[in-house]
Amino acid sequence: MFYSFARGIVRIIIFLINGNAHYINKEKLPEGSYILVGPHRTWFDPIYFALAGSPKKFSFMAKKELFVNPILRYILIHANAFPVDRENPGPSTIKTPVKFLKKGDLSLIMFPSGTRHSEELKGGSLLIARMAQVPLVPAVYQGPLTFKQLFSRKRITVSFGDPIYLDRKTKLTDEVQAQMDTKLTDAFKQLDMDINPDFKYVDPHKK
C-alpha cells in the first residue's frame, strides 16, 4: 500500500520537474518476477527504472548507513528496500532478495557495477537470479545526470532489453561470470545505440 502511494507521489513530482520521460520496449518485461539490471549513471535512475517497470513493484538494495535515521529507515523499509553492508556483505545480501523474488510479489532493481563510478560488473545479480530462478532484464537510462539538469526538461529514456535466463544447474565459474558480464555489457551498449547512436556516458563527477 505504502509503495503504491509513494510511487504515485513520486510520479507526480517527477512529472512536474521534468515531464519528458519515455519508457520503451516494455513488452519485453516478463510476467513474473525478474531482476532489472543496468549501468548506474545517476542517483535517481533507480526511481525511473521503478516507474518504467510499473505496475510491477520492486525491491532495492540500499547501503546500511541510510537506515540509521529512523524516519528514512521507515520510508526505505516500506518502499521494499533492505540494508546492505558494502564493506562486509553477509548472507542476507543474497538471501533477502531471493526470498522476495521467490514469493513473486516483487521484482528487484540492481546495478551490477555496484556504484555510479565503476564499470566493473559484479556477480551478485547472477547468483540471485540463479537461486531465485528469475531472469535478468537489461535496462538503460539516458537523460539528465544531475538533479539540476532535470529541470531543463530534456528527454529521459528508459529502455528494456530481452530477458536473460540462467539455468539452476549453471556453475558460476570465473569463465561463466565473464561471459555473462560480456553479455550484459553488450546488451547495455545495444540499448544505448538503439536510443541514440551518438550517446556516450560521461560521469559528471569525473569532469
Side-chain angles (χ1 to χ4, degrees), residues 64-110:
K64 67 174 186 177
E65 291 80 4
L66 296 176
F67 289 78
V68 174
N69 182 290
I71 297 176
L72 186 55
R73 176 185 174 85
Y74 178 89
I75 294 173
L76 288 170
I77 289 176
H78 286 81
N80 305 320
F82 57 95
V84 173
D85 185 342
R86 290 181 176 177
E87 298 298 323
N88 299 289
S92 62
T93 304
I94 301 297
K95 291 181 179 179
T96 300
V98 168
K99 180 181 177 181
F100 284 155
L101 290 165
K102 282 187 172 181
K103 286 180 65 176
D105 298 329
L106 300 172
S107 286
L108 175 68
I109 293 175
M110 285 189 72

Side-chain angles (χ1 to χ4, degrees), residues 147-185:
F147 186 69
K148 182 179 179 180
Q149 290 173 357
L150 277 178
F151 288 87
S152 68
R153 302 186 75 83
K154 290 183 179 178
R155 180 185 173 99
I156 291 171
T157 304
V158 174
S159 181
F160 302 107
D162 294 316
I164 299 172
Y165 293 85
L166 274 175
D167 190 276
R168 184 185 294 275
K169 297 179 181 179
T170 301
K171 292 184 179 181
L172 297 180
T173 62
D174 290 344
E175 181 181 1
V176 169
Q177 291 197 48
Q179 291 173 351
M180 290 300 298
D181 282 357
T182 299
K183 193 169 187 178
L184 284 172
T185 300

Side-chain angles (χ1 to χ4, degrees), residues 25-144:
N25 296 326
K26 285 193 66 170
E27 71 279 0
K28 294 186 177 182
L29 295 176
E31 288 292 328
S33 295
Y34 53 87
I35 303 176
L36 200 58
V37 292
H40 203 0
R41 292 171 174 166
T42 177
W43 65 264
F44 47 78
D45 52 13
I47 296 174
Y48 276 99
F49 279 3
L51 292 177
S54 177
K56 172 64 72 175
K57 296 179 181 179
F58 294 90
S59 59
F60 310 81
M61 290 183 175
K63 59 184 180 180
K64 67 174 186 177
E65 291 80 4
L66 296 176
F67 289 78
V68 174
N69 182 290
I71 297 176
L72 186 55
R73 176 185 174 85
Y74 178 89
I75 294 173
L76 288 170
I77 289 176
H78 286 81
N80 305 320
F82 57 95
V84 173
D85 185 342
R86 290 181 176 177
E87 298 298 323
N88 299 289
S92 62
T93 304
I94 301 297
K95 291 181 179 179
T96 300
V98 168
K99 180 181 177 181
F100 284 155
L101 290 165
K102 282 187 172 181
K103 286 180 65 176
D105 298 329
L106 300 172
S107 286
L108 175 68
I109 293 175
M110 285 189 72
F111 298 95
S113 61
T115 72
R116 283 178 283 150
H117 317 303
S118 170
E119 295 182 359
E120 180 184 357
L121 296 182
K122 312 296 183 183
S125 58
L126 301 180
L127 179 58
I128 294 170
R130 191 194 67 177
M131 291 181 65
Q133 279 300 280
V134 298
L136 297 162
V137 179
V140 299
Y141 165 97
Q142 282 190 25

Side-chain angles (χ1 to χ4, degrees), residues 14-29:
I14 288 294
F15 178 79
L16 292 174
I17 291 174
N18 179 271
N20 193 14
H22 304 264
Y23 309 132
I24 58 179
N25 296 326
K26 285 193 66 170
E27 71 279 0
K28 294 186 177 182
L29 295 176

